[in-house]
Amino acid sequence: MSHLIDSLVDILGRDYVITDSIRRDDISKTTLLFQNIPDVVIYPKTTEEVQKVMRLAQEKNVPVWVVSTGKNWGYGSKTAAYPGGITMILVRMNQIIEVNEALGYAIIEPGVTYAQLNEYLKSKNIKLWMDSAGSTESASVIGNALDKGRGLTSYADHFGALCGMDIVLPSGELMQTGGGPTNNNCSRYLYKWGIGPYIDGLFVQSNLGIVVQAGLWLMPEPEAFDFMVFQYKANEDRLPNFVDDLRQLVSRGFLPSRPHFANDYAMLCIVSQYPHHLLTKGRTHLSREALLQWRKSFGITSWTCGLGLYGSKTEVRLQKRMLKKVLGKYGRLQSFGIALRKDWVGRLAFWIAKKVARFMGISDEMVEQAVPAANLFKGIPTDQFAKQVYFKNYEAKPKGEIDPPKDGCGFIWIGPVIPFSSDDIQRIMDTTKIIFEKHGFEYFVELIIEGPRSIIFLMGIFYDKKNKEECERAEAWYFEIRQLCLEMGYPPYRETTQSTTKALDTNPEMKKLIGQIKMAVDPLNILAPGRYGTPLREDSKCNAVGND
Amino acid sequence: MSHLIDSLVDILGRDYVITDSIRRDDISKTTLLFQNIPDVVIYPKTTEEVQKVMRLAQEKNVPVWVVSTGKNWGYGSKTAAYPGGITMILVRMNQIIEVNEALGYAIIEPGVTYAQLNEYLKSKNIKLWMDSAGSTESASVIGNALDKGRGLTSYADHFGALCGMDIVLPSGELMQTGGGPTNNNCSRYLYKWGIGPYIDGLFVQSNLGIVVQAGLWLMPEPEAFDFMVFQYKANEDRLPNFVDDLRQLVSRGFLPSRPHFANDYAMLCIVSQYPHHLLTKGRTHLSREALLQWRKSFGITSWTCGLGLYGSKTEVRLQKRMLKKVLGKYGRLQSFGIALRKDWVGRLAFWIAKKVARFMGISDEMVEQAVPAANLFKGIPTDQFAKQVYFKNYEAKPKGEIDPPKDGCGFIWIGPVIPFSSDDIQRIMDTTKIIFEKHGFEYFVELIIEGPRSIIFLMGIFYDKKNKEECERAEAWYFEIRQLCLEMGYPPYRETTQSTTKALDTNPEMKKLIGQIKMAVDPLNILAPGRYGTPLREDSKCNAVGND
């Protein structure tokens, strides 16, 4: 055991310094074809411990990769961009410091999960709604926000909802953003821009500091809520009109939520398991005909989405009327309203909704998504949709908690940001479909409505990690589609750890500036080297133990 | 004529390099008790010229202070934080590069003014509304946003509405923010956070780069609009309830605009001239009785504000109903609706409104503010309210264009950010009133509704620049009130140039970080040294000519 490990044990206690090789391997597993095993994994509990570790790392010249809970599955989970070094996991820093109901914010640590925050709000009967990512309820609220993750309510922009951060700098110093008097700034959780440069942005998708506490804006519980499901049934050639009409709805405020439109395959992953029996011989992916046959058996159309309606009763009625008027032209719009109530009226209404749906060829599995989906639009987290990643090479989706990297699930996400315009959607669909086809994967797309001006065009593939040939295709798919999107001018909103060092390659001036800032605040390149476009360390293998 | 001047003339042409001492003095005048005269004033037209000047300044080691149009009256206008050096004014960079109606944004240069952008939109019949600052129509749209200025519509957060910047760095290099491929990023004006760290915030209230072009989000013209005037008439002891009710309205979305509540004195500045005859002997400011007498003659109550209503016809009706229900408890709420129409019906309705108001003791001057005020809520700029600064030591407010610094107007603003809560409003009112009283100024306050969580508590004084005793009181007032607000934990949202070097003194860790970043990107401290808390140069007098 080296001096470094001893010092870490001194700071954190033996239980929170992991050197066992099997555990280190487990912890650093990803759903990508990319994994770097750290020399040591640590779990600090307090800001002071984080500061001490950073000072130690500076002294010993050992890199520290930091994740909150490390649940950014499909983007890199807990792996570093390089082998070796210290990996710091902040899951034990899980205090909810304060929730201010009147002013609508919480102050939390990075280990606080969606499930935990929601539970806290509900148990204390606080009339504020959290916005949850559509992924797992065990994800870190702050971690997701710092990766620019998104949810579905009016507060879907998670980084946008952060206000006022406590940051441990690479030197180990503690800093408060917001510009006001340190430890005496009454508006630091209330007003984003502070005084002087607004620097919170330096700590998202970056390696300039460790956010150990942050303010998070929460949505006041509306007087009324409704949930609707929309199924696009028009011809594909009307998609451009649909997109432009949809943008109008969003920019005029008639769609206060931030829905995700899932294409047929994306929807099928949720309600079903992969139909290996429909795979004709010699094919690696379903033919158009097979897909249509499969989707028909579930009553799924080319695009599906859930919509949350918020406001006073009159406002919700108004939104509903507008949505019916506009979206009704393109498909079926079903309001769940009463069917979401938990009393006998609600159960009856839900039973009727199921019967009606069945009559229209829509499967029970499809209707059963309504409750968790509606909950998501109220900020109540669920693992229901994250479980889609088990749909391909597994018999069934697991019950209870999930751990896709450990369970060997293979999947990769990429979400280029495109203008909210029919031309751009058409252009990216036409070009990316070819890449999926070329590498033998089904076309998986979700249109994440970012706002009235842009859409995150989320694409993904599922692959069998035990199948070498499929893995090769998966990796080729990822790099080709990433390159294509960049060439089309559609940069991804988020990088996988596999490509994080290349994040700014297409903007060399910005890469240079951020490199200069990195050198200024972290001259030894200790904190998460390589993350989001800054250079890796010279010593490509950052052996913490060996260095000591 | 020094080599530096010759080189500047080579780059910009003789007409755009000002060395004449009277003109340099005129240009650098402020409404504060603070002015530094630069050695030379320059007016570049293109990004290339800005780049060349920065390279030259680096070579010659001469500081460059930059303003867009320099209309931040009451905060410092065009003066630098130090004497000498180059002052760069970007007023000639006034191109509107593009307006995208469907996606709701404009791309503009920093010399573009509110009047110009509004005129452009109207003349091309583009159905987008700009948000204008309440100050002068000749102010720079980008300049105001970079100072975190505010307007009154749903797009009141001017920095928040910037998306995608072209920046000349202190080195002279040009950089695009947004992270995407340089010159090929389709979403850079549409999606704020880009890829990697979000760095746009580094260029507001700072000296890390010169924004030579930016995207600006514009508001889609709503189907319906209305304008209401609210006059608070309840007892002062109900103010806490009023504030908490108001916050509910904002956080529930019933108040889509971002109004400013003016206290009696702030309102009187607009509609009247200072009543010197009411000033009893030996007093420097009006007694409570005199103020009440004066305000009564105009029918002004303790608080007044305009409110803009936006949405579909039904939504506007809904908002109106809610406002009447809630604000109606505290005072008089008048809708202007028809009276704002330009046809005979409108003129008739306005005439009737005036008669009714007169009957209720409200002066014509007061009612006449309705049209420019309503316009402001539609993003149409006006100098009407900026002219209040001529109310104290002038016979009447000027007609036509104004230039308060040149006309010798003395006034200073300070706007601490406070929580949107009755306790904080009460606390800051109780404490700051004493400071006004102590230094012999009338209490001027506007409550700027920043959002559902915070309020900018804008205070100001008007003083006679020719009266030495009054000037001394003014300066003492400013530093004392600034200090008091900081001690109470209410940092100002914006600094005057007079105190800009102290901007981050109460947050030494952030000051240090920004200092490190400044050193990294501008090691010679060339660009606007001292601005927002970074150090001044060692040579306290930055003589450009002498240095050469």
Side-chain angles (χ1 to χ4, degrees), chain A residues 468-526:
Chain A
K468 188 162 170 279
E469 182 271 339
E470 201 164 315
C471 290
E472 279 165 12
R473 282 192 285 116
E475 192 142 81
W477 169 87
Y478 177 65
F479 286 105
E480 186 164 347
I481 211 144
R482 185 177 174 280
Q483 186 58 30
L484 175 76
C485 290
L486 286 171
E487 280 166 15
M488 285 194 293
Y490 303 140
Y493 89 108
R494 195 166 170 178
E495 284 285 358
T496 68
T497 310
Q498 185 162 17
S499 51
T500 195
T501 57
K502 302 180 204 306
L504 296 174
D505 281 2
T506 54
N507 189 333
E509 301 83 8
M510 182 167 157
K511 186 181 167 106
K512 183 178 165 191
L513 179 81
I514 291 170
Q516 287 171 330
I517 295 174
K518 177 69 174 167
M519 281 303 291
V521 300
D522 188 11
L524 294 179
N525 201 8
I526 294 296

Side-chain angles (χ1 to χ4, degrees), chain B residues 40-248:
Chain B
V40 52
V41 180
I42 58 169
Y43 294 88
K45 175 72 186 162
T46 66
T47 295
E48 292 68 33
E49 288 176 1
V50 172
Q51 291 183 277
K52 281 183 190 165
V53 169
M54 286 314 296
R55 288 197 199 102
L56 177 70
Q58 288 287 354
E59 188 193 314
K60 304 279 186 191
N61 195 6
V62 175
V64 182
W65 191 265
V66 185
V67 296
S68 298
T69 55
K71 300 292 172 79
N72 56 344
W73 301 328
Y75 290 106
S77 311
K78 304 187 188 72
T79 190
Y82 50 83
I86 300 170
T87 286
M88 184 192 283
I89 301 175
L90 304 176
V91 70
R92 290 176 65 226
M93 298 185 70
N94 62 354
Q95 281 192 77
I96 296 169
I97 316 281
E98 183 196 334
V99 175
N100 187 317
E101 187 166 357
L103 292 168
Y105 68 90
I107 309 171
I108 57 176
E109 290 187 331
V112 172
T113 66
Y114 290 118
Q116 184 191 351
L117 181 55
N118 177 60
E119 177 56 30
Y120 183 95
L121 297 172
K122 296 292 179 286
S123 71
K124 298 207 183 295
N125 200 23
I126 296 170
K127 299 290 179 206
L128 294 171
W129 285 1
M130 180 192 80
D131 184 287
S132 173
S135 66
T136 172
E137 58 187 74
S138 64
S140 157
V141 178
I142 289 182
N144 182 275
L146 296 178
D147 273 340
K148 303 182 190 162
R150 299 191 58 84
L152 296 139
T153 75
S154 317
Y155 281 55
D157 174 4
H158 290 174
F159 167 56
L162 289 188
C163 185
M165 296 176 177
D166 279 14
I167 290 161
V168 173
L169 295 170
S171 63
E173 283 169 290
L174 185 65
M175 183 188 72
Q176 293 180 355
T177 68
T182 308
N183 300 321
N184 177 28
N185 179 354
C186 299
S187 54
R188 68 181 293 233
Y189 301 115
L190 307 171
Y191 173 65
K192 278 183 82 77
W193 309 138
I195 186 79
Y198 167 71
I199 58 169
D200 293 29
L202 287 182
F203 304 99
V204 293
Q205 294 188 347
S206 91
N207 53 13
L208 298 167
I210 303 168
V211 179
V212 289
Q213 189 178 296
L216 173 79
W217 288 352
L218 300 169
M219 175 179 171
E221 185 180 311
E223 185 194 321
F225 169 78
D226 201 355
F227 173 70
M228 299 181 96
V229 172
F230 171 72
Q231 290 191 289
Y232 184 91
K233 297 187 112 173
N235 275 334
E236 285 300 305
D237 62 2
R238 291 188 60 207
L239 197 66
N241 305 62
F242 169 71
V243 168
D244 291 330
D245 276 351
L246 184 65
R247 186 186 61 239
Q248 288 284 328

Side-chain angles (χ1 to χ4, degrees), chain A residues 295-368:
Chain A
R295 90 180 198 192
K296 195 167 172 228
S297 69
F298 284 88
I300 283 173
T301 65
S302 52
W303 297 95
T304 306
C305 87
L307 303 157
L309 281 55
Y310 313 101
S312 65
K313 278 177 192 156
T314 321
E315 284 177 305
V316 166
R317 217 164 29 234
L318 211 69
Q319 289 163 26
K320 210 150 141 181
R321 205 186 309 151
M322 276 305 287
L323 291 175
K324 280 202 168 141
K325 191 175 148 193
V326 178
L327 297 185
K329 290 188 284 178
Y330 302 98
R332 180 171 177 264
L333 199 63
Q334 191 190 354
S335 162
F336 275 76
I338 307 166
L340 298 171
R341 277 165 52 175
K342 280 178 185 158
D343 56 7
W344 69 267
V345 184
R347 283 193 299 272
L348 178 66
F350 194 79
W351 180 82
I352 295 170
K354 228 168 173 173
K355 291 285 162 197
V356 172
R358 207 180 288 170
F359 180 75
M360 299 179 75
I362 296 165
S363 71
D364 288 4
E365 290 88 343
M366 182 74 178
V367 181
E368 273 155 13

Side-chain angles (χ1 to χ4, degrees), chain A residues 56-362:
Chain A
L56 176 70
Q58 289 287 354
E59 187 194 314
K60 303 280 185 189
N61 195 6
V62 176
V64 183
W65 190 265
V66 185
V67 296
S68 299
T69 54
K71 300 292 173 79
N72 55 342
W73 301 329
Y75 290 105
S77 311
K78 303 187 189 72
T79 189
Y82 50 82
I86 300 169
T87 286
M88 185 192 284
I89 301 175
L90 304 177
V91 71
R92 289 177 66 227
M93 296 183 72
N94 62 355
Q95 281 192 77
I96 296 169
I97 316 279
E98 182 197 335
V99 176
N100 186 317
E101 188 167 356
L103 291 168
Y105 69 89
I107 308 171
I108 57 175
E109 290 188 330
V112 172
T113 66
Y114 289 118
Q116 184 191 350
L117 182 55
N118 177 59
E119 177 56 29
Y120 183 95
L121 296 173
K122 295 293 180 285
S123 71
K124 299 209 181 294
N125 199 25
I126 296 170
K127 301 290 180 206
L128 294 171
W129 285 2
M130 181 191 79
D131 183 288
S132 173
S135 67
T136 172
E137 59 188 73
S138 63
S140 157
V141 178
I142 288 182
N144 182 276
L146 296 179
D147 273 339
K148 302 181 189 163
R150 299 191 57 83
L152 295 139
T153 74
S154 317
Y155 282 56
D157 173 5
H158 290 174
F159 167 56
L162 290 188
C163 185
M165 297 176 176
D166 279 14
I167 291 161
V168 173
L169 295 171
S171 62
E173 282 168 292
L174 184 65
M175 183 188 71
Q176 293 181 356
T177 68
T182 308
N183 299 321
N184 177 27
N185 180 354
C186 299
S187 55
R188 69 181 291 233
Y189 301 114
L190 307 170
Y191 173 65
K192 278 184 82 77
W193 310 138
I195 187 80
Y198 167 71
I199 59 169
D200 293 29
L202 287 182
F203 305 98
V204 293
Q205 293 188 347
S206 90
N207 54 12
L208 299 168
I210 303 168
V211 179
V212 289
Q213 190 178 296
L216 173 79
W217 288 352
L218 300 169
M219 175 178 170
E221 185 180 311
E223 184 194 321
F225 170 79
D226 201 354
F227 173 70
M228 299 181 95
V229 172
F230 171 72
Q231 289 192 290
Y232 184 91
K233 297 187 111 172
N235 276 335
E236 285 299 305
D237 61 3
R238 291 187 60 207
L239 198 65
N241 304 61
F242 168 71
V243 169
D244 292 328
D245 276 351
L246 185 64
R247 187 186 60 237
Q248 288 285 328
L249 281 178
V250 177
S251 70
R252 304 258 160 204
F254 290 111
L255 202 57
S257 59
R258 291 289 176 258
H260 299 191
F261 286 77
N263 77 346
D264 47 9
Y265 187 73
M267 202 61 218
L268 283 158
C269 304
I270 293 169
V271 297
S272 174
Q273 293 301 97
Y274 192 84
H276 291 276
H277 62 281
L278 291 178
L279 208 52
T280 43
K281 216 181 157 229
R283 283 191 66 93
T284 61
H285 62 300
L286 299 169
S287 65
R288 178 84 190 137
E289 295 67 37
L291 184 76
L292 288 175
Q293 186 190 334
W294 182 31
R295 90 180 198 192
K296 195 167 172 228
S297 69
F298 284 88
I300 283 173
T301 65
S302 52
W303 297 95
T304 306
C305 87
L307 303 157
L309 281 55
Y310 313 101
S312 65
K313 278 177 192 156
T314 321
E315 284 177 305
V316 166
R317 217 164 29 234
L318 211 69
Q319 289 163 26
K320 210 150 141 181
R321 205 186 309 151
M322 276 305 287
L323 291 175
K324 280 202 168 141
K325 191 175 148 193
V326 178
L327 297 185
K329 290 188 284 178
Y330 302 98
R332 180 171 177 264
L333 199 63
Q334 191 190 354
S335 162
F336 275 76
I338 307 166
L340 298 171
R341 277 165 52 175
K342 280 178 185 158
D343 56 7
W344 69 267
V345 184
R347 283 193 299 272
L348 178 66
F350 194 79
W351 180 82
I352 295 170
K354 228 168 173 173
K355 291 285 162 197
V356 172
R358 207 180 288 170
F359 180 75
M360 299 179 75
I362 296 165

Side-chain angles (χ1 to χ4, degrees), chain B residues 160-391:
Chain B
L162 289 188
C163 185
M165 296 176 177
D166 279 14
I167 290 161
V168 173
L169 295 170
S171 63
E173 283 169 290
L174 185 65
M175 183 188 72
Q176 293 180 355
T177 68
T182 308
N183 300 321
N184 177 28
N185 179 354
C186 299
S187 54
R188 68 181 293 233
Y189 301 115
L190 307 171
Y191 173 65
K192 278 183 82 77
W193 309 138
I195 186 79
Y198 167 71
I199 58 169
D200 293 29
L202 287 182
F203 304 99
V204 293
Q205 294 188 347
S206 91
N207 53 13
L208 298 167
I210 303 168
V211 179
V212 289
Q213 189 178 296
L216 173 79
W217 288 352
L218 300 169
M219 175 179 171
E221 185 180 311
E223 185 194 321
F225 169 78
D226 201 355
F227 173 70
M228 299 181 96
V229 172
F230 171 72
Q231 290 191 289
Y232 184 91
K233 297 187 112 173
N235 275 334
E236 285 300 305
D237 62 2
R238 291 188 60 207
L239 197 66
N241 305 62
F242 169 71
V243 168
D244 291 330
D245 276 351
L246 184 65
R247 186 186 61 239
Q248 288 284 328
L249 281 178
V250 177
S251 71
R252 304 260 161 202
F254 290 111
L255 202 57
S257 59
R258 291 289 175 257
H260 300 190
F261 287 76
N263 78 345
D264 46 10
Y265 187 72
M267 201 61 218
L268 283 159
C269 304
I270 294 169
V271 297
S272 174
Q273 293 300 99
Y274 192 83
H276 291 276
H277 63 281
L278 292 178
L279 207 53
T280 43
K281 212 178 160 233
R283 281 191 69 92
T284 61
H285 62 299
L286 299 169
S287 66
R288 178 84 190 136
E289 294 67 37
L291 184 76
L292 288 176
Q293 187 190 336
W294 180 32
R295 92 182 196 193
K296 195 166 173 231
S297 69
F298 284 89
I300 284 172
T301 65
S302 53
W303 298 95
T304 307
C305 88
L307 303 157
L309 282 54
Y310 312 101
S312 66
K313 278 178 191 154
T314 321
E315 285 177 305
V316 167
R317 217 164 29 232
L318 213 67
Q319 288 164 25
K320 210 149 140 182
R321 205 186 309 151
M322 277 305 286
L323 291 175
K324 279 200 170 143
K325 190 176 149 193
V326 179
L327 297 186
K329 291 188 283 177
Y330 302 98
R332 180 171 176 262
L333 199 62
Q334 191 190 354
S335 163
F336 274 77
I338 308 167
L340 298 171
R341 277 166 52 177
K342 280 179 186 159
D343 55 9
W344 69 268
V345 183
R347 282 193 299 272
L348 178 66
F350 195 78
W351 182 81
I352 295 169
K354 229 168 174 174
K355 291 286 162 197
V356 172
R358 207 178 288 172
F359 181 74
M360 299 179 75
I362 296 164
S363 71
D364 287 4
E365 290 88 344
M366 181 74 178
V367 181
E368 273 155 14
Q369 307 306 320
V371 175
N375 279 341
L376 256 185
F377 280 93
K378 300 168 84 171
I380 299 168
T382 176
D383 276 358
Q384 176 76 9
F385 304 108
K387 286 180 182 171
Q388 67 181 353
V389 303
Y390 287 85
F391 104 110

